[in-house]
Amino acid sequence: MFARDFEWAELTRFAALPGPRATLGVVSGRRRQGKTFLLDAVSRAGGGFMFTATETTEADALRQFGEALARYRGQPTPFRFTHWDEAVTELMRIAVAGEPTVAVIDEFPFLAKASPSLPSIIQRALDPAAQHTNTPVRLLLCGSAVSFMGGLLSGSAPLRGRAGLELIVPTLDFRLAAEFWQITDPRTALLTNAVVGGTPAYRREFTQGDTPSGADDFDAWVTRAVLNPARPLFREARYLLAEEPDLHDTALYHSVLAAIAAGNAARGGIADYLGRKSTDLAHPLTVLQDVGMITHEADAFRRNRSAYRIAEPLVTFYHAVMRPAWGDLERPGRAPDVWRRAQATFRSKVVGPHFEQVCREWARWHAASETHGGQVTRVAGGTVNDPAAKTSHEVDVAVHGEAGDGRETLLSIGEAKWNEVMGSGHLERLKHIRTLLTSRGTATEATRLHCYSGAGFTEELHHLAKSDPAIQLIDLPRLYHGE
Protein backbone atom coordinates (compact mmCIF):
# COMPACT_ATOMS: atom_id res chain seq x y z
CA MET A 1 0.00 0.00 0.00
CA PHE A 2 1.46 3.35 -1.05
CA ALA A 3 0.52 6.83 0.20
CA ARG A 4 -2.93 5.74 1.39
CA ASP A 5 -2.37 6.09 5.14
CA PHE A 6 -5.26 8.51 5.58
CA GLU A 7 -7.70 6.40 3.57
CA TRP A 8 -6.63 3.21 5.35
CA ALA A 9 -6.98 4.84 8.77
CA GLU A 10 -10.49 6.05 7.97
CA LEU A 11 -11.57 2.68 6.59
CA THR A 12 -10.25 0.75 9.60
CA ARG A 13 -11.83 3.28 11.96
CA PHE A 14 -15.18 2.83 10.24
CA ALA A 15 -14.83 -0.96 10.16
CA ALA A 16 -14.30 -1.09 13.92
CA LEU A 17 -16.98 1.40 14.96
CA PRO A 18 -18.59 0.14 18.19
CA GLY A 19 -22.31 -0.22 18.57
CA PRO A 20 -25.01 -2.77 17.67
CA ARG A 21 -26.49 -0.86 14.70
CA ALA A 22 -25.61 -1.20 11.04
CA THR A 23 -23.80 1.79 9.55
CA LEU A 24 -23.14 3.03 6.03
CA GLY A 25 -20.02 4.31 4.31
CA VAL A 26 -19.49 5.53 0.74
CA VAL A 27 -16.16 5.28 -1.10
CA SER A 28 -15.63 6.91 -4.48
CA GLY A 29 -12.97 8.27 -6.80
CA ARG A 30 -11.86 8.08 -10.38
CA ARG A 31 -11.01 4.71 -11.88
CA ARG A 32 -7.63 3.02 -11.38
CA GLN A 33 -6.88 4.75 -8.05
CA GLY A 34 -6.79 1.60 -5.91
CA LYS A 35 -10.24 1.73 -4.28
CA THR A 36 -10.89 -1.98 -4.78
CA PHE A 37 -7.44 -2.83 -3.41
CA LEU A 38 -8.17 -0.85 -0.23
CA LEU A 39 -11.64 -2.32 0.24
CA ASP A 40 -10.45 -5.86 -0.38
CA ALA A 41 -7.72 -5.34 2.20
CA VAL A 42 -10.07 -3.96 4.86
CA SER A 43 -12.63 -6.73 4.31
CA ARG A 44 -9.96 -9.44 4.46
CA ALA A 45 -8.39 -7.93 7.57
CA GLY A 46 -11.63 -8.28 9.50
CA GLY A 47 -13.09 -11.37 7.85
CA GLY A 48 -15.71 -9.31 6.05
CA PHE A 49 -17.81 -9.86 2.94
CA MET A 50 -17.05 -8.30 -0.44
CA PHE A 51 -19.20 -8.40 -3.56
CA THR A 52 -18.13 -6.85 -6.87
CA ALA A 53 -21.05 -6.07 -9.12
CA THR A 54 -21.09 -6.42 -12.89
CA GLU A 55 -23.14 -4.69 -15.54
CA THR A 56 -26.09 -7.04 -15.83
CA THR A 57 -29.82 -7.41 -15.20
CA GLU A 58 -31.46 -7.21 -11.78
CA ALA A 59 -32.29 -10.92 -11.74
CA ASP A 60 -28.74 -11.94 -12.64
CA ALA A 61 -27.27 -9.51 -10.12
CA LEU A 62 -29.47 -10.99 -7.37
CA ARG A 63 -28.38 -14.48 -8.38
CA GLN A 64 -24.69 -13.52 -8.24
CA PHE A 65 -25.17 -11.76 -4.92
CA GLY A 66 -27.02 -14.72 -3.41
CA GLU A 67 -24.26 -17.11 -4.46
CA ALA A 68 -21.52 -14.86 -3.06
CA LEU A 69 -23.34 -14.33 0.24
CA ALA A 70 -23.96 -18.06 0.62
CA ARG A 71 -20.27 -18.82 0.06
CA TYR A 72 -19.35 -16.25 2.69
CA ARG A 73 -21.84 -17.75 5.17
CA GLY A 74 -20.57 -21.26 4.46
CA GLN A 75 -23.93 -22.47 3.17
CA PRO A 76 -24.00 -25.34 0.65
CA THR A 77 -26.83 -23.84 -1.41
CA PRO A 78 -27.06 -20.26 -2.66
CA PHE A 79 -29.66 -17.78 -1.51
CA ARG A 80 -32.50 -17.33 -3.99
CA PHE A 81 -33.50 -13.68 -3.65
CA THR A 82 -36.41 -12.41 -5.72
CA HIS A 83 -35.94 -8.77 -4.70
CA TRP A 84 -33.24 -6.57 -3.19
CA ASP A 85 -35.38 -6.12 -0.05
CA GLU A 86 -34.67 -9.75 0.83
CA ALA A 87 -30.99 -9.52 -0.13
CA VAL A 88 -30.29 -6.37 1.89
CA THR A 89 -32.17 -7.73 4.91
CA GLU A 90 -30.02 -10.88 4.83
CA LEU A 91 -26.85 -8.83 4.35
CA MET A 92 -27.61 -6.81 7.47
CA ARG A 93 -27.54 -10.02 9.54
CA ILE A 94 -24.06 -11.32 8.67
CA ALA A 95 -22.28 -9.98 11.78
CA VAL A 96 -21.98 -12.62 14.49
CA ALA A 97 -21.49 -12.36 18.23
CA GLY A 98 -22.15 -8.63 18.13
CA GLU A 99 -18.78 -7.93 16.47
CA PRO A 100 -18.66 -5.23 13.76
CA THR A 101 -18.32 -6.84 10.32
CA VAL A 102 -17.45 -5.16 7.04
CA ALA A 103 -19.66 -5.71 4.00
CA VAL A 104 -18.43 -4.18 0.73
CA ILE A 105 -20.46 -3.72 -2.44
CA ASP A 106 -18.01 -2.63 -5.14
CA GLU A 107 -19.15 -1.11 -8.45
CA PHE A 108 -22.41 -0.16 -6.77
CA PRO A 109 -23.56 2.03 -9.72
CA PHE A 110 -23.97 -1.13 -11.82
CA LEU A 111 -26.49 -2.50 -9.31
CA ALA A 112 -28.32 0.81 -8.99
CA LYS A 113 -28.57 1.11 -12.77
CA ALA A 114 -30.34 -2.24 -12.99
CA SER A 115 -32.32 -1.64 -9.77
CA PRO A 116 -32.99 2.12 -9.32
CA SER A 117 -34.84 1.50 -6.04
CA LEU A 118 -31.78 -0.05 -4.36
CA PRO A 119 -30.59 3.15 -2.58
CA SER A 120 -34.08 3.55 -1.11
CA ILE A 121 -34.09 -0.08 0.00
CA ILE A 122 -30.75 0.41 1.79
CA GLN A 123 -32.07 3.61 3.36
CA ARG A 124 -35.07 1.71 4.71
CA ALA A 125 -32.78 -1.01 6.06
CA LEU A 126 -30.94 1.65 8.06
CA ASP A 127 -34.11 3.20 9.53
CA PRO A 128 -34.57 2.91 13.32
CA ALA A 129 -37.36 0.36 12.92
CA ALA A 130 -35.16 -1.97 10.85
CA GLN A 131 -32.18 -1.58 13.16
CA HIS A 132 -33.87 -3.83 15.74
CA THR A 133 -33.13 -6.86 13.56
CA ASN A 134 -29.83 -5.64 12.09
CA THR A 135 -26.41 -6.72 13.27
CA PRO A 136 -23.38 -4.36 13.43
CA VAL A 137 -22.64 -4.52 9.72
CA ARG A 138 -20.34 -1.80 8.39
CA LEU A 139 -21.69 -1.48 4.85
CA LEU A 140 -19.38 0.17 2.31
CA LEU A 141 -20.72 1.16 -1.10
CA CYS A 142 -18.04 1.87 -3.69
CA GLY A 143 -18.04 3.13 -7.26
CA SER A 144 -16.03 4.99 -9.89
CA ALA A 145 -18.95 6.84 -11.48
CA VAL A 146 -18.06 10.06 -9.70
CA SER A 147 -21.26 11.98 -10.42
CA PHE A 148 -23.47 9.06 -9.37
CA MET A 149 -21.57 8.37 -6.16
CA GLY A 150 -21.54 12.05 -5.27
CA GLY A 151 -25.28 12.18 -5.74
CA LEU A 152 -25.94 9.28 -3.36
CA LEU A 153 -25.59 11.52 -0.31
CA SER A 154 -26.64 14.91 -1.70
CA GLY A 155 -29.83 16.90 -1.98
CA SER A 156 -32.96 14.81 -1.52
CA ALA A 157 -31.25 11.47 -2.23
CA PRO A 158 -32.56 8.59 -0.06
CA LEU A 159 -29.20 8.01 1.63
CA ARG A 160 -28.54 11.64 2.52
CA GLY A 161 -27.61 11.90 6.19
CA ARG A 162 -27.19 8.13 6.55
CA ALA A 163 -23.46 7.73 5.98
CA GLY A 164 -20.83 7.63 8.71
CA LEU A 165 -18.05 7.73 6.13
CA GLU A 166 -17.74 9.57 2.82
CA LEU A 167 -14.28 8.82 1.46
CA ILE A 168 -12.89 10.00 -1.87
CA VAL A 169 -9.71 8.23 -3.01
CA PRO A 170 -7.68 10.83 -4.95
CA THR A 171 -5.02 10.56 -7.60
CA LEU A 172 -1.42 10.93 -6.44
CA ASP A 173 -0.02 14.44 -6.68
CA PHE A 174 3.09 15.10 -8.76
CA ARG A 175 5.51 14.48 -5.88
CA LEU A 176 3.92 11.22 -4.78
CA ALA A 177 3.64 10.11 -8.42
CA ALA A 178 7.39 10.54 -8.91
CA GLU A 179 8.03 8.50 -5.77
CA PHE A 180 5.58 5.82 -6.85
CA TRP A 181 7.13 5.57 -10.32
CA GLN A 182 10.57 5.56 -8.65
CA ILE A 183 11.81 8.40 -10.86
CA THR A 184 14.47 10.45 -9.11
CA ASP A 185 15.30 12.92 -11.91
CA PRO A 186 12.84 15.85 -11.56
CA ARG A 187 12.72 16.64 -15.28
CA THR A 188 11.94 13.05 -16.21
CA ALA A 189 9.41 12.88 -13.40
CA LEU A 190 7.52 15.93 -14.62
CA LEU A 191 7.55 14.81 -18.25
CA THR A 192 6.19 11.41 -17.23
CA ASN A 193 3.57 13.03 -14.99
CA ALA A 194 2.47 15.22 -17.92
CA VAL A 195 1.62 12.02 -19.82
CA VAL A 196 0.17 9.64 -17.23
CA GLY A 197 -0.61 11.85 -14.22
CA GLY A 198 -0.93 10.31 -10.78
CA THR A 199 -3.06 7.22 -11.45
CA PRO A 200 -1.36 4.29 -9.65
CA ALA A 201 -2.61 1.57 -12.00
CA TYR A 202 -0.79 3.09 -14.95
CA ARG A 203 2.57 2.08 -13.52
CA ARG A 204 1.80 -1.49 -12.50
CA GLU A 205 -1.14 -2.94 -14.40
CA PHE A 206 -0.75 -0.80 -17.54
CA THR A 207 3.03 -0.69 -18.01
CA GLN A 208 4.08 -3.69 -15.90
CA GLY A 209 6.64 -1.51 -14.16
CA ASP A 210 8.17 -0.14 -17.36
CA THR A 211 9.33 3.35 -16.35
CA PRO A 212 11.68 5.85 -18.02
CA SER A 213 15.18 5.18 -16.71
CA GLY A 214 16.10 8.84 -17.20
CA ALA A 215 15.76 11.84 -19.48
CA ASP A 216 17.54 9.99 -22.32
CA ASP A 217 15.00 7.16 -22.11
CA PHE A 218 11.84 9.27 -21.96
CA ASP A 219 11.19 9.45 -25.72
CA ALA A 220 11.79 5.72 -26.13
CA TRP A 221 9.48 5.03 -23.18
CA VAL A 222 6.65 7.06 -24.74
CA THR A 223 6.88 5.14 -28.01
CA ARG A 224 7.09 1.70 -26.40
CA ALA A 225 4.65 2.14 -23.47
CA VAL A 226 2.13 4.80 -24.51
CA LEU A 227 2.06 5.03 -28.31
CA ASN A 228 2.37 1.28 -28.77
CA PRO A 229 -0.97 -0.16 -30.04
CA ALA A 230 -0.27 -3.43 -28.19
CA ARG A 231 -0.04 -1.75 -24.76
CA PRO A 232 -3.04 -0.97 -22.51
CA LEU A 233 -2.26 2.76 -22.21
CA PHE A 234 -2.75 3.19 -25.96
CA ARG A 235 -6.57 3.11 -25.77
CA GLU A 236 -7.03 4.03 -22.12
CA ALA A 237 -8.11 7.63 -22.76
CA ARG A 238 -10.91 6.38 -25.01
CA TYR A 239 -12.03 3.81 -22.45
CA LEU A 240 -12.17 6.41 -19.68
CA LEU A 241 -15.03 8.15 -21.45
CA ALA A 242 -16.73 4.94 -22.52
CA GLU A 243 -16.82 3.74 -18.90
CA GLU A 244 -18.72 6.81 -17.65
CA PRO A 245 -22.46 6.02 -17.61
CA ASP A 246 -23.48 9.70 -17.88
CA LEU A 247 -21.56 10.28 -21.11
CA HIS A 248 -23.96 9.09 -23.79
CA ASP A 249 -22.75 11.06 -26.84
CA THR A 250 -19.07 10.20 -26.54
CA ALA A 251 -18.23 11.86 -29.89
CA LEU A 252 -19.41 15.23 -28.57
CA TYR A 253 -17.52 14.86 -25.29
CA HIS A 254 -14.33 13.85 -27.10
CA SER A 255 -14.70 16.95 -29.28
CA VAL A 256 -15.08 19.19 -26.23
CA LEU A 257 -12.00 17.64 -24.64
CA ALA A 258 -10.07 18.07 -27.89
CA ALA A 259 -10.98 21.76 -27.92
CA ILE A 260 -9.71 22.23 -24.36
CA ALA A 261 -6.55 20.23 -25.09
CA ALA A 262 -5.90 22.56 -28.05
CA GLY A 263 -5.69 25.48 -25.63
CA ASN A 264 -9.28 26.75 -25.59
CA ALA A 265 -9.98 27.33 -21.92
CA ALA A 266 -13.05 29.59 -22.18
CA ARG A 267 -16.50 28.45 -23.26
CA GLY A 268 -16.48 30.85 -26.19
CA GLY A 269 -13.19 29.47 -27.48
CA ILE A 270 -14.44 25.90 -27.13
CA ALA A 271 -17.61 26.79 -29.02
CA ASP A 272 -15.64 28.44 -31.85
CA TYR A 273 -13.37 25.38 -32.10
CA LEU A 274 -16.41 23.11 -32.47
CA GLY A 275 -18.41 25.47 -34.67
CA ARG A 276 -21.26 25.62 -32.18
CA LYS A 277 -23.04 28.25 -30.12
CA SER A 278 -21.67 28.86 -26.64
CA THR A 279 -25.08 28.09 -25.12
CA ASP A 280 -25.04 24.63 -26.72
CA LEU A 281 -22.08 23.60 -24.55
CA ALA A 282 -23.58 24.25 -21.12
CA HIS A 283 -24.77 20.65 -20.72
CA PRO A 284 -21.69 18.74 -21.99
CA LEU A 285 -19.33 20.96 -19.99
CA THR A 286 -21.40 20.43 -16.84
CA VAL A 287 -21.48 16.67 -17.36
CA LEU A 288 -17.72 16.47 -17.97
CA GLN A 289 -17.18 18.47 -14.80
CA ASP A 290 -19.56 16.25 -12.81
CA VAL A 291 -17.72 13.07 -13.83
CA GLY A 292 -14.35 14.61 -12.94
CA MET A 293 -12.97 14.84 -16.48
CA ILE A 294 -12.54 18.62 -16.41
CA THR A 295 -12.26 21.36 -13.81
CA HIS A 296 -13.77 24.84 -13.96
CA GLU A 297 -11.50 27.38 -12.30
CA ALA A 298 -12.28 31.02 -11.63
CA ASP A 299 -9.86 33.68 -12.85
CA ALA A 300 -7.69 35.08 -10.04
CA PHE A 301 -8.52 38.69 -10.95
CA ARG A 302 -11.68 38.75 -13.06
CA ARG A 303 -14.81 37.29 -11.50
CA ASN A 304 -16.66 37.08 -14.81
CA ARG A 305 -13.90 34.97 -16.38
CA SER A 306 -13.03 31.31 -15.84
CA ALA A 307 -11.04 28.53 -17.43
CA TYR A 308 -11.79 24.88 -18.20
CA ARG A 309 -8.94 22.42 -17.78
CA ILE A 310 -8.74 18.67 -18.34
CA ALA A 311 -8.25 16.86 -15.03
CA GLU A 312 -6.60 13.70 -16.39
CA PRO A 313 -3.20 14.29 -18.08
CA LEU A 314 -3.52 11.14 -20.20
CA VAL A 315 -6.68 12.56 -21.78
CA THR A 316 -4.85 15.79 -22.66
CA PHE A 317 -1.99 13.78 -24.13
CA TYR A 318 -4.38 11.64 -26.15
CA HIS A 319 -6.24 14.58 -27.69
CA ALA A 320 -3.15 16.71 -28.33
CA VAL A 321 -0.76 14.03 -29.57
CA MET A 322 -2.49 10.72 -30.30
CA ARG A 323 -5.92 11.52 -31.73
CA PRO A 324 -4.66 13.64 -34.68
CA ALA A 325 -2.35 10.78 -35.75
CA TRP A 326 -4.52 7.84 -34.73
CA GLY A 327 -4.47 6.17 -38.14
CA ASP A 328 -0.67 6.13 -38.20
CA LEU A 329 -0.37 5.03 -34.60
CA GLU A 330 -2.59 2.00 -35.13
CA ARG A 331 -0.01 0.63 -37.58
CA PRO A 332 2.91 -0.94 -35.67
CA GLY A 333 6.26 0.76 -36.14
CA ARG A 334 4.91 4.25 -36.88
CA ALA A 335 5.11 5.57 -33.29
CA PRO A 336 8.69 6.96 -33.45
CA ASP A 337 7.87 9.07 -36.53
CA VAL A 338 4.61 10.34 -35.00
CA TRP A 339 6.36 11.20 -31.75
CA ARG A 340 9.11 13.06 -33.59
CA ARG A 341 6.55 15.20 -35.43
CA ALA A 342 4.57 15.83 -32.26
CA GLN A 343 7.40 17.31 -30.20
CA ALA A 344 6.37 20.96 -30.62
CA THR A 345 2.74 20.14 -29.85
CA PHE A 346 3.75 18.10 -26.83
CA ARG A 347 5.78 20.97 -25.40
CA SER A 348 3.19 23.69 -26.03
CA LYS A 349 -0.12 21.87 -25.51
CA VAL A 350 0.81 19.22 -22.96
CA VAL A 351 3.96 19.92 -20.93
CA GLY A 352 3.66 23.71 -20.81
CA PRO A 353 0.12 23.83 -19.37
CA HIS A 354 0.88 20.85 -17.11
CA PHE A 355 3.97 22.58 -15.73
CA GLU A 356 1.87 25.65 -14.92
CA GLN A 357 -0.63 23.45 -13.07
CA VAL A 358 2.15 21.72 -11.13
CA CYS A 359 3.50 25.14 -10.14
CA ARG A 360 0.07 26.13 -8.84
CA GLU A 361 -0.16 22.88 -6.87
CA TRP A 362 3.28 23.47 -5.38
CA ALA A 363 2.37 27.02 -4.39
CA ARG A 364 -0.86 25.83 -2.74
CA TRP A 365 0.24 22.66 -0.99
CA HIS A 366 4.02 22.41 -0.75
CA ALA A 367 5.51 25.90 -0.47
CA ALA A 368 6.26 27.22 3.00
CA SER A 369 4.31 30.24 4.23
CA GLU A 370 7.62 32.12 4.40
CA THR A 371 8.01 31.65 0.65
CA HIS A 372 4.84 33.64 -0.04
CA GLY A 373 4.97 35.90 2.99
CA GLY A 374 1.71 34.67 4.48
CA GLN A 375 -0.71 31.78 4.87
CA VAL A 376 -2.04 30.66 1.48
CA THR A 377 -5.82 30.45 1.01
CA ARG A 378 -6.18 30.02 -2.76
CA VAL A 379 -4.05 29.78 -5.89
CA ALA A 380 -5.19 30.31 -9.47
CA GLY A 381 -4.15 31.64 -12.83
CA GLY A 382 -5.45 34.98 -13.99
CA THR A 383 -5.56 37.72 -16.61
CA VAL A 384 -4.64 41.35 -15.98
CA ASN A 385 -5.76 44.07 -18.41
CA ASP A 386 -3.22 46.69 -19.47
CA PRO A 387 -5.32 49.55 -20.96
CA ALA A 388 -2.36 51.80 -21.74
CA ALA A 389 -0.70 49.12 -23.84
CA LYS A 390 -4.07 47.88 -25.15
CA THR A 391 -3.23 44.31 -24.18
CA SER A 392 -3.55 41.86 -21.31
CA HIS A 393 -1.07 39.81 -19.30
CA GLU A 394 -1.41 36.22 -18.17
CA VAL A 395 -0.38 35.42 -14.60
CA ASP A 396 0.31 31.70 -14.29
CA VAL A 397 0.41 31.53 -10.49
CA ALA A 398 -1.48 34.08 -8.38
CA VAL A 399 -1.33 33.30 -4.66
CA HIS A 400 -3.90 34.82 -2.32
CA GLY A 401 -3.73 34.47 1.43
CA GLU A 402 -3.64 36.13 4.83
CA ALA A 403 -0.77 38.46 5.56
CA GLY A 404 -1.40 38.77 9.30
CA ASP A 405 -4.43 41.03 9.86
CA GLY A 406 -6.96 38.38 8.81
CA ARG A 407 -7.85 40.03 5.50
CA GLU A 408 -7.17 38.35 2.16
CA THR A 409 -4.36 39.84 0.13
CA LEU A 410 -2.38 38.97 -2.98
CA LEU A 411 0.76 37.38 -1.57
CA SER A 412 2.60 36.65 -4.80
CA ILE A 413 2.35 36.52 -8.58
CA GLY A 414 4.39 34.15 -10.68
CA GLU A 415 5.30 33.24 -14.23
CA ALA A 416 6.02 29.64 -15.30
CA LYS A 417 8.24 28.71 -18.25
CA TRP A 418 8.88 25.05 -18.92
CA ASN A 419 11.58 25.14 -21.56
CA GLU A 420 12.91 28.69 -21.27
CA VAL A 421 15.76 30.05 -19.15
CA MET A 422 14.26 32.95 -17.22
CA GLY A 423 16.06 36.26 -16.82
CA SER A 424 15.60 39.85 -15.73
CA GLY A 425 13.11 40.46 -18.55
CA HIS A 426 10.66 38.04 -16.97
CA LEU A 427 11.13 39.76 -13.61
CA GLU A 428 10.46 43.17 -15.14
CA ARG A 429 7.24 41.84 -16.66
CA LEU A 430 6.09 40.65 -13.23
CA LYS A 431 6.96 44.03 -11.73
CA HIS A 432 4.87 45.75 -14.39
CA ILE A 433 1.92 43.47 -13.67
CA ARG A 434 2.30 44.16 -9.95
CA THR A 435 2.20 47.90 -10.67
CA LEU A 436 -1.02 47.47 -12.66
CA LEU A 437 -2.60 45.45 -9.85
CA THR A 438 -1.40 47.89 -7.19
CA SER A 439 -3.03 50.80 -9.02
CA ARG A 440 -6.35 48.91 -8.72
CA GLY A 441 -5.89 48.04 -5.06
CA THR A 442 -5.47 44.34 -5.79
CA ALA A 443 -1.76 44.11 -4.98
CA THR A 444 0.75 46.00 -2.86
CA GLU A 445 4.47 46.61 -3.04
CA ALA A 446 4.77 43.67 -0.63
CA THR A 447 3.33 41.27 -3.24
CA ARG A 448 6.17 38.90 -4.06
CA LEU A 449 7.45 37.99 -7.50
CA HIS A 450 8.03 34.32 -8.28
CA CYS A 451 9.74 32.81 -11.31
CA TYR A 452 9.10 29.12 -12.05
CA SER A 453 11.31 27.47 -14.65
CA GLY A 454 12.00 23.99 -15.92
CA ALA A 455 15.17 25.18 -17.68
CA GLY A 456 16.79 27.38 -15.03
CA PHE A 457 17.63 31.05 -14.53
CA THR A 458 20.30 33.49 -15.68
CA GLU A 459 23.15 34.49 -13.37
CA GLU A 460 21.74 38.01 -13.30
CA LEU A 461 18.39 36.79 -12.03
CA HIS A 462 20.10 34.60 -9.42
CA HIS A 463 22.00 37.68 -8.22
CA LEU A 464 18.81 39.79 -8.01
CA ALA A 465 17.01 37.05 -6.04
CA LYS A 466 19.87 36.71 -3.54
CA SER A 467 19.64 40.39 -2.67
CA ASP A 468 15.83 40.52 -2.44
CA PRO A 469 13.84 37.83 -0.53
CA ALA A 470 10.65 39.04 -2.27
CA ILE A 471 12.01 37.49 -5.48
CA GLN A 472 11.76 33.70 -5.42
CA LEU A 473 13.21 31.34 -8.01
CA ILE A 474 11.57 27.91 -8.18
CA ASP A 475 13.28 25.28 -10.32
CA LEU A 476 12.46 21.58 -10.76
CA PRO A 477 14.47 20.34 -7.73
CA ARG A 478 12.66 22.86 -5.54
CA LEU A 479 9.27 21.86 -6.95
CA TYR A 480 9.90 18.24 -6.08
CA HIS A 481 11.92 18.54 -2.88
CA GLY A 482 11.83 22.09 -1.52
CA GLU A 483 9.51 24.62 0.05
Side-chain angles (χ1 to χ4, degrees):
M1 192 173 297
F2 177 85
R4 297 300 189 202
D5 294 344
F6 171 78
E7 291 81 6
W8 180 251
E10 286 300 310
L11 285 171
T12 54
R13 177 199 64 84
F14 177 80
L17 282 175
R21 294 189 168 205
T23 54
L24 173 69
V26 173
V27 180
S28 62
R30 284 157 54 189
R31 294 186 184 278
R32 330 281 195 244
Q33 305 308 318
K35 300 184 299 297
T36 299
F37 178 84
L38 283 166
L39 293 171
D40 179 66
V42 78
S43 64
R44 286 175 181 271
F49 168 71
M50 183 167 180
F51 175 72
T52 300
T54 59
E55 196 166 8
T56 186
T57 63
E58 180 178 64
D60 189 43
L62 282 167
R63 180 188 60 77
Q64 293 179 25
F65 186 82
E67 291 173 352
L69 192 58
R71 283 196 301 271
Y72 174 76
R73 299 284 291 270
Q75 297 186 186
T77 57
F79 289 104
R80 300 296 183 189
F81 300 124
T82 58
H83 195 272
W84 278 108
D85 266 317
E86 302 171 358
V88 172
T89 299
E90 191 63 36
L91 180 65
M92 293 299 183
R93 295 172 179 166
I94 65 171
V96 296
E99 291 295 322
T101 301
V102 171
V104 176
I105 300 180
D106 197 11
E107 299 294 356
F108 181 72
F110 287 151
L111 294 185
K113 180 181 178 181
S115 308
S117 63
L118 184 53
S120 296
I121 292 171
I122 294 174
Q123 176 254 320
R124 189 165 59 212
L126 296 170
D127 281 346
Q131 291 284 14
H132 294 298
T133 58
N134 288 343
T135 59
V137 170
R138 305 296 172 244
L139 177 60
L140 289 164
L141 307 179
C142 178
S144 301
V146 177
S147 58
F148 176 86
M149 296 303 293
L152 276 180
L153 305 177
S154 64
S156 58
L159 294 175
R160 177 172 169 77
R162 301 285 178 176
L165 175 72
E166 186 177 2
L167 183 65
I168 298 175
V169 180
T171 58
L172 303 176
D173 74 6
F174 70 98
R175 284 188 170 185
L176 287 172
E179 187 180 345
F180 186 71
W181 280 74
Q182 297 180 314
I183 301 175
T184 56
D185 173 53
R187 187 174 182 84
T188 306
L190 195 136
L191 286 168
T192 305
N193 192 248
V195 177
V196 293
T199 297
Y202 292 162
R203 179 180 181 236
R204 291 185 175 159
E205 290 86 345
F206 282 67
T207 64
Q208 293 82 47
D210 181 3
T211 64
S213 59
D216 293 341
D217 185 47
F218 176 74
D219 290 336
W221 174 79
V222 170
T223 58
R224 71 175 181 262
V226 186
L227 301 182
N228 183 343
R231 300 290 181 92
L233 276 177
F234 183 74
R235 295 175 179 83
E236 171 66 1
R238 290 187 165 195
Y239 293 158
L240 285 174
L241 257 68
E243 290 170 345
E244 288 292 344
D246 291 336
L247 303 184
H248 302 296
D249 185 357
T250 55
L252 172 61
Y253 294 111
H254 272 299
S255 297
V256 172
L257 291 169
I260 299 173
N264 301 285
R267 184 186 293 187
I270 299 169
D272 289 343
Y273 184 92
L274 299 179
R276 293 184 175 228
K277 295 180 180 178
S278 180
T279 52
D280 294 341
L281 298 180
H283 178 69
L285 286 170
T286 299
V287 172
L288 283 170
Q289 191 176 350
D290 287 345
V291 301
M293 281 287 174
I294 64 174
T295 60
H296 189 202
E297 302 169 10
D299 189 282
F301 309 112
R302 299 168 65 179
R303 293 184 178 180
N304 63 341
R305 185 183 173 98
S306 59
Y308 290 97
R309 294 188 176 91
I310 298 175
E312 174 53 63
L314 186 63
V315 173
T316 301
F317 182 82
Y318 166 76
H319 283 286
V321 174
M322 300 177 69
R323 193 172 182 233
W326 191 256
D328 282 346
L329 287 172
E330 284 189 307
R331 295 183 66 85
R334 297 292 182 92
D337 288 337
V338 171
W339 182 234
R340 207 162 25 248
R341 296 196 305 268
Q343 288 300 300
T345 300
F346 177 64
R347 287 192 298 269
S348 63
K349 303 300 184 184
V350 180
V351 186
H354 186 74
F355 180 63
E356 293 172 8
Q357 182 61 30
V358 165
C359 292
R360 286 189 285 269
E361 289 182 22
W362 179 85
R364 181 67 178 95
W365 305 113
H366 298 289
S369 57
E370 292 81 8
T371 297
H372 299 299
Q375 189 63 45
V376 178
T377 55
R378 62 187 177 98
V379 177
T383 305
V384 179
N385 284 332
D386 188 346
K390 296 182 180 179
T391 187
S392 61
H393 303 283
E394 297 293 328
V395 176
D396 299 322
V397 186
V399 179
H400 288 83
E402 294 180 2
D405 57 3
R407 291 181 299 174
E408 186 178 72
T409 187
L410 183 62
L411 297 176
S412 67
I413 56 174
E415 183 169 4
K417 295 294 183 184
W418 164 247
N419 218 29
E420 185 177 335
V421 176
M422 300 184 74
S424 58
H426 298 91
L427 182 63
E428 291 303 317
R429 178 178 177 275
L430 287 174
K431 286 182 178 179
H432 177 62
I433 294 172
R434 182 174 65 182
T435 300
L436 291 172
L437 291 170
T438 301
S439 68
R440 300 168 196 172
T442 304
T444 68
E445 287 302 314
T447 298
R448 299 190 175 191
L449 309 176
H450 291 183
C451 295
Y452 301 81
S453 176
F457 312 95
T458 64
E459 286 298 323
E460 181 185 12
L461 190 54
H462 273 295
H463 178 73
L464 292 170
K466 285 181 181 178
S467 60
D468 186 354
I471 302 171
Q472 294 283 324
L473 308 183
I474 300 97
D475 57 9
L476 288 172
R478 188 172 179 185
L479 280 176
Y480 274 91
H481 306 294
E483 298 180 335

